[in-house]
Amino acid sequence: MKLGFILGEVGSGLRRNLSMVVSVVLVTFISLTFVGTAALMQMQITQMKGYWYDKVQVAIYLCGEHNEGTNCAEGAVTEGQRGEIESMLGSAAVKPYVENFEYESKEQALTHFREQFENSSMSETVTADQLPESFRVSLVDPEKYQIIKELFSSMDGVDVVVDQRELLEKIFSIINIASFVAIGIAGVMILCAVLLVGTTIRLSAYLRRRETGIMRLVGASKSSLQLPFVLEGVISALIGALLASGVLWAAVRFLIDDKLALDYKDTAFISTGEVFMVAPWLILLGVVLAGVSSLVTLRRYLKV
Amino acid sequence: MIRFENVTMVYDQKSRLGSENARPGLDDVTIEIDRGDFAFLVGASGSGKSTFLRLILREIVATGGSVHVAGQNVARIPSWRVPKLRRGIGVVFQDFRLLPQKNVFENVAFAMQVVGESRSAIRDHVPEVLKLVGLEGKEKRQPDELSGGEQQRVAIARAIANKPQILLADEPTGNLDPATSVGIMNVLDRINQNGTTVIMATHDDGIVNSMRRRVVELSLGKIMRDESAGEYTSMIPVINQDGTRELRQADHSTWQKPSTGNQAFAPFDTEDDMP
């Protein structure tokens, strides 16, 4: 009965204050969508790191005929130079850092290139001679890339040593910046949401001052006076959080699962599973913020 | 039932010094109101009647002395127990304060819902209370379909719905015509006869004079008189030698010779209510 009564009060509060409630729902929805987006982008980075860091290698590109690198003055790499590099990779000084390495010839490079740019017209025009041969080195600890670079950069026949991780880092830093932007927008929007919840509760307390005045006089407990207002804020935020979760799910489902993941098969993408990990936190965040904000407002604007 | 011991209530203590508003709402008031009493609280606006009632409700806490309600020092009640104190006190106002979107039954039921009464208790008890205040058959009316007197009856029904031991009425007949007021007073009297202590602040001299109940007169926060079957005012009109009329305190020495009275009170203060 008591619960029913309080819920009835909540219902009447929501109805009477509908426009404010709708705005709280929308602002919470937008702000939590940004929070969720940032979280998902970070998860995407983690996902890609886990997937790629195992596969990326340090590539030691060898001189081709037309290279202008400092070690390539004598034209294309010779058999001897190639052998020296290979034995260097197997030497005691280098071995502890190297997990394994393999040689990639021009023909193999072409095959890989064609695979990678399957849909591009470029793959048709490139020939094996235009691609450099290389050693693909997997490192025990990818952070030790500098050592390999120092050792091999100066060797004859080596054009350039490239850490493929650096390319990935660029992608990650772009995603990182995007997620920081999202967090920044989310921060401002959350501030808006908190203030708006406060204003809404204040207005609601004002609209219902007759009821609360009478409730106080006939001896309503502090909790039964405050609970309808707090629930009003929390329910609005909850709806907003559910909307945000729904939109994130739809975005991941239709943009990533159905499109990006199909277009780029060799890249790891987050999926709706990640959304289900993020959504409970969004809901918790929304509910806690709204609850705290309403309680703080009531402390000032509702006499108990 | 209600005991004030040297109660002083100073509003806005910071500006006490030198400010004209510094006079206290109540000034060293000691009084006891017994269980089952019916007491009128009279006095000019600003004399401390509302302060008196609000202290009983613990809407405010006395700055000096102690207020005891049903054996408890209200200042010592922790804030989370205050609702329990208020459940034992019904309050009626001059402006009824009904909820306009609820009908008569719902208005009375509201008080019971708030304290968590069961639906069946509400269904049983509300009609009884409405009958007690003389509103049988008007359960479904909206407040704006009722006369002022009927609205006040609803307010009284709501105030006593939770069977309080004390009923405070702050000028309950202030908005009503004399005939309707008599009806309201009969309701309050009936409630009093059921054992409820009633304290009624009023400006209605006709009612006070005809009821012949206990009268406590406050002036500037002090108790001027406390009579067991008193009248609204103990002042009588006198005509001064220059022909002006004024009201003077009628104590028995001046009753025969009013012209020697030396203390004059304006019966109706300016309407500067206490905050």
Side-chain angles (χ1 to χ4, degrees):
Chain A
M1 181 59 213
K2 188 133 201 204
L3 183 71
F5 173 67
I6 287 176
L7 289 180
E9 289 294 294
V10 175
S12 82
L14 290 175
R15 265 197 308 280
R16 262 203 251 178
N17 211 355
L18 192 62
S19 61
M20 289 298 277
V21 167
V22 168
S23 57
V24 169
V25 168
L26 292 180
V27 171
T28 333
F29 159 46
I30 301 290
S31 55
L32 291 178
T33 306
F34 276 106
V35 174
T37 307
L40 288 176
M41 285 200 269
Q42 286 303 318
M43 290 174 115
Q44 174 64 29
I45 290 178
T46 318
Q47 187 99 340
M48 285 173 102
K49 273 185 181 162
Y51 182 80
W52 280 109
Y53 275 12
D54 291 343
K55 302 196 173 176
V56 294
Q57 296 156 326
V58 174
I60 302 173
Y61 289 106
L62 305 180
C63 295
E65 274 170 42
H66 310 291
N67 286 113
E68 284 161 13
T70 45
N71 303 328
C72 298
E74 297 156 31
V77 64
T78 62
E79 282 296 331
Q81 284 168 341
R82 192 186 300 130
E84 242 173 77
I85 293 167
E86 188 158 0
S87 60
M88 180 75 169
L89 278 167
S91 73
V94 180
K95 217 172 172 63
Y97 303 113
V98 174
E99 178 129 346
N100 58 54
F101 66 90
E102 60 189 43
Y103 171 73
E104 186 181 282
S105 68
K106 291 178 184 237
E107 283 69 30
Q108 284 165 326
L110 181 65
T111 324
H112 285 150
F113 185 88
R114 289 219 166 118
E115 275 173 17
Q116 209 169 347
F117 297 96
E118 212 171 9
N119 304 324
S120 156
S121 59
M122 227 178 9
S123 62
E124 306 301 325
T125 55
V126 169
T127 63
D129 276 344
Q130 288 171 305
L131 294 169
E133 43 192 311
S134 61
F135 283 103
R136 300 285 163 153
V137 185
S138 302
L139 298 185
V140 176
D141 177 4
E143 305 290 334
K144 297 273 166 58
Y145 149 76
Q146 274 302 334
I147 296 171
I148 302 297
K149 179 171 174 141
E150 271 165 34
L151 283 170
F152 291 92
S153 299
S154 53
M155 286 184 81
D156 284 339
V158 172
D159 178 19
V160 65
V161 180
V162 171
D163 182 8
Q164 291 183 320
R165 234 158 49 97
E166 275 179 5
L167 299 173
L168 274 181
E169 293 296 344
K170 267 182 202 152
I171 299 174
F172 291 158
S173 75
I174 290 169
I175 301 181
N176 258 328
I177 289 169
S179 65
F180 285 137
V181 170
I183 283 285
I185 296 173
V188 176
M189 293 301 287
I190 281 181
L191 186 66
C192 285
V194 165
L195 295 176
L196 195 60
V197 168
T199 314
T200 306
I201 296 304
R202 202 165 125 192
L203 191 64
S204 193
Y206 179 77
L207 286 173
R208 294 222 303 273
R209 63 194 183 285
R210 281 168 188 272
E211 278 92 338
T212 50
I214 288 157
M215 285 169 82
R216 228 159 50 75
L217 280 176
V218 299
S221 60
K222 190 177 169 183
S223 61
S224 59
L225 266 172
Q226 291 188 335
L227 200 57
F229 294 103
V230 175
L231 281 181
E232 203 173 301
V234 165
I235 287 176
S236 315
L238 187 67
I239 298 173
L242 289 174
L243 281 177
S245 307
V247 163
L248 288 176
W249 179 85
V252 170
R253 176 83 180 72
F254 297 115
L255 282 179
I256 294 183
D257 279 4
D258 284 2
K259 181 115 178 71
L260 288 177
L262 295 182
D263 288 356
Y264 302 93
K265 284 209 176 74
D266 54 351
T267 305
F269 282 107
I270 53 167
S271 178
T272 48
E274 273 76 12
V275 177
F276 287 115
M277 279 166 66
V278 169
W281 295 104
L282 291 185
I283 291 169
L284 189 70
L285 181 69
V287 164
V288 167
L289 284 178
V292 170
S293 155
S294 355
L295 275 177
V296 170
T297 312
L298 289 176
R299 199 177 262 268
R300 273 190 65 188
Y301 293 99
L302 182 70
K303 227 165 112 188
V304 290
Chain B
M1 195 76 214
I2 296 167
R3 195 173 67 216
F4 278 52
E5 281 173 7
N6 308 105
V7 173
T8 299
M9 181 70 218
V10 182
Y11 290 102
D12 196 9
Q13 297 203 57
K14 281 178 206 153
S15 63
R16 173 146 54 167
L17 297 169
S19 163
E20 199 231 328
N21 292 331
R23 75 187 159 78
L26 280 183
D27 189 0
D28 195 23
V29 167
T30 299
I31 193 173
E32 175 140 18
I33 293 167
D34 293 326
R35 185 181 297 270
D37 258 6
F38 193 121
F40 286 113
L41 212 51
V42 301
S45 296
S47 61
K49 301 190 298 292
S50 297
T51 303
F52 192 94
L53 297 181
R54 292 171 70 199
L55 280 167
I56 296 172
L57 275 170
R58 203 184 184 267
E59 291 245 15
I60 50 177
V61 176
T63 46
S66 57
V67 178
H68 296 262
V69 175
Q72 283 178 295
N73 183 344
V74 295
R76 295 250 176 84
I77 300 177
S79 63
W80 60 273
R81 289 279 301 269
V82 169
K84 198 159 180 287
L85 167 78
R86 294 193 182 138
R87 281 177 207 188
I89 304 173
V91 194
V92 180
F93 300 94
Q94 180 174 1
D95 56 356
F96 321 137
R97 302 199 188 172
L98 301 179
L99 300 177
Q101 72 278 24
K102 291 189 191 297
N103 67 28
V104 170
F105 183 94
E106 290 163 344
N107 262 286
V108 179
F110 185 74
M112 297 180 72
Q113 289 170 329
V114 165
V115 300
E117 291 285 353
S118 70
R119 202 180 294 250
S120 63
I122 291 171
R123 218 173 22 233
D124 291 346
H125 188 57
V126 172
E128 279 174 34
V129 180
L130 286 176
K131 190 170 174 228
L132 180 68
V133 299
L135 285 176
E136 307 103 305
K138 297 193 172 163
E139 284 91 343
K140 293 278 181 286
R141 300 278 192 91
Q142 295 296 127
D144 57 8
E145 299 167 355
L146 297 174
S147 70
E150 286 169 329
Q151 288 188 48
Q152 190 59 291
R153 283 166 197 256
V154 179
I156 293 170
R158 182 179 64 196
I160 61 168
N162 291 324
K163 306 191 184 81
Q165 296 191 318
I166 299 168
L167 181 65
L168 305 179
D170 195 356
E171 301 193 29
T173 58
N175 279 352
L176 305 174
D177 64 77
T180 313
S181 299
V182 170
I184 294 296
M185 291 316 294
N186 284 336
V187 171
L188 292 179
D189 194 38
R190 214 177 302 151
I191 291 163
N192 176 240
Q193 279 163 20
N194 289 347
T196 306
T197 309
V198 179
I199 300 176
M200 172 170 157
T202 186
H203 283 149
D204 194 329
D205 54 346
I207 283 171
V208 178
N209 293 344
S210 59
M211 292 279 286
R212 289 285 165 183
R213 293 302 191 106
R214 183 176 180 179
V215 174
V216 177
E217 181 178 347
L218 289 168
S219 176
L220 300 177
K222 287 182 187 294
I223 294 182
M224 297 302 292
R225 69 194 162 101
D226 182 359
E227 294 169 2
S228 57
E231 298 201 347
Y232 179 74
T233 178
S234 57
M235 285 184 267
I236 51 164
V238 291
I239 297 170
N240 292 331
Q241 281 163 344
D242 59 2
T244 57
R245 267 169 56 112
E246 65 179 331
L247 288 163
R248 295 212 168 171
Q249 187 70 34
D251 73 56
H252 291 289
S253 62
T254 61
W255 181 261
Q256 303 301 330
K257 293 184 284 177
S259 55
T260 60
N262 54 5
Q263 240 187 329
F265 288 88
F268 298 108
D269 216 342
T270 47
E271 289 291 322
D272 58 339
D273 258 321
M274 293 305 294

